[in-house]
Amino acid sequence: MKKFIYNILLIIFIVVLHYSNFLSNIMIYNTIFDLALIFIILYGFFDDEIFPFVFAFSIGLVLDFVLGDKPLGYNALIYTIIGFLSTFPKRVFRVDSFFIALIFITLFSFLKGVISLFINSIIGVSYNMSDFFMSEILFKSLYTLIVSIPFYLIYKNFYFFINKSRKHV
Amino acid sequence: MSGFSGFIYSNKKNIIFIVLITISVSMMFFSDTRSLFILRNIGFSIISPFQIVFKSFENTVEGTMESVSENDRLRMELESARRELFQYRKIIMNFNTIRQENINLKKLLDLKDNMDYEGISAEIIARTPDNYYDTLVINKGSSDDIKENMPVISYANGKKVLVGKTISVTRFASKVLTLQSSKLSVGAIITESNTMCLIKGTNNSLGFADLVFIPKSVEFENGIESIIYTGGESHIYPKGIEIGKIIEFYPSNRYDSFKNAKVKISLDYSTLEYVLVLKNENQR
């Protein structure tokens, strides 16, 4: 129950922050980091097998409901796919290793850009390709990667701390 | 039966994933229906109070930081403002004389004021996270008499400049569709040639829109900046609000009746903070 409430609050925080005016002050090349994506990937790395993409679907759906002028389900679809895929690396790689985690965060960020480009082309939204590549894929991925570093370190330590205290109990 | 439930249990992850993907794709197909539009409005109504609270918190923090750092600057500005005020007092005296003359001349010519609109100022509290600023959220809603399809303007370089129109209104917040969006088209007029045409958002790059349906017969002198204003032919937008200026014409085919042009929008959406929603007398 506690986890449920924390995640509802987290979703509201991400959505409000995501659409906040304040972010326009820290934009790079007219793009902003993807906080929702960071949390989805971190859940995928450290949480169980199902929760990450259920969380991803929920936050995507809330983002769709709240503002986006894209069709309903657009963000839900993209984030669910990323959430699902983010549960796989931990089976093969040590995602608690800083550099491996960063490589996967970058990969998933790129992948999100590619999936959104693909879905946009299906629903008939046209973009200037060079602009889209520069802002949505390249700059957004890099920005997300940089912002994800403190979140990753805090979340990883928090996760290990919780596990340790459980073992002691 | 136990085999089936065992199958379900062992493939629980994949099944949930497929169900969620199916729900998302189905919603994308039906997202234009009325019921989903209502659901979206409900979602917007729930989250907009949080946006307003966050914005006021942001303003408080910003205000505190600024007040500390700007004390010295304000003292210097006060001195120069006092000097300027003295100059302006002189100008205002001249201005009042000219304004009175203008009123008298208008009466003589029996001209009716074109701008039959009252403005409601609003602050932008949120934007689409996409990098093209398709939609803005403002902190005024139906409680301030804002309705859908009201024109939204702002001021840039001392001129009224078109921002877009309201598309969705809740009690305390409204969504504004900007000229950046491909969903918005506005009747426009080119001042040099007095030509009516249409301006459309492109979603392509920030700060630009397309001007379409320009008759091919219309010629433009090179080097002269053609300013685009609202044409005033629709019920929504008043006439004479600046939109942008033509920067280039797209190549057209020999047998086309019309040509298209690229327009640089006069407003910088990335720095826009306040807007004015115009209340049309006819809409009230």
Side-chain angles (χ1 to χ4, degrees), chain B residues 75-102:
Chain B
R75 204 173 295 129
M76 284 163 69
E77 271 184 11
L78 181 68
E79 281 303 311
S80 78
R82 275 183 184 148
R83 282 195 295 272
E84 275 179 23
L85 184 65
F86 182 71
Q87 298 291 328
Y88 284 129
R89 273 190 187 137
K90 279 197 234 169
I91 294 169
I92 280 174
M93 282 165 75
N94 291 335
F95 169 76
N96 283 337
T97 319
I98 294 165
R99 194 171 67 166
Q100 195 53 48
E101 263 177 29
N102 190 28

Side-chain angles (χ1 to χ4, degrees), chain A residues 19-22 27 30 49 53 57 61 64-66 68-72 84 87 127-128 131 135, chain B residues 12-13 17 24 27-28 31 36 40 47 54 58 124 126-127 129-134 183 204-206:
Chain A
Y19 290 95
S20 156
N21 241 354
F22 152 77
M27 277 187 156
N30 284 324
E49 288 286 302
F53 62 90
F57 175 78
L61 199 62
D64 286 326
F65 266 124
V66 172
D69 58 343
K70 300 268 170 31
L72 199 62
F84 181 72
T87 59
Y127 281 111
N128 182 322
D131 270 0
S135 63
Chain B
K12 195 167 59 175
K13 181 183 173 182
F17 175 66
S24 306
M27 279 190 300
M28 281 176 74
S31 66
L36 283 177
R40 231 175 197 177
I47 215 80
F54 189 84
E58 189 188 313
I124 296 167
R127 299 160 199 266
D130 294 6
N131 49 340
Y132 298 121
Y133 301 102
D134 282 3
K183 288 180 186 169
N204 271 346
S205 42
L206 182 63

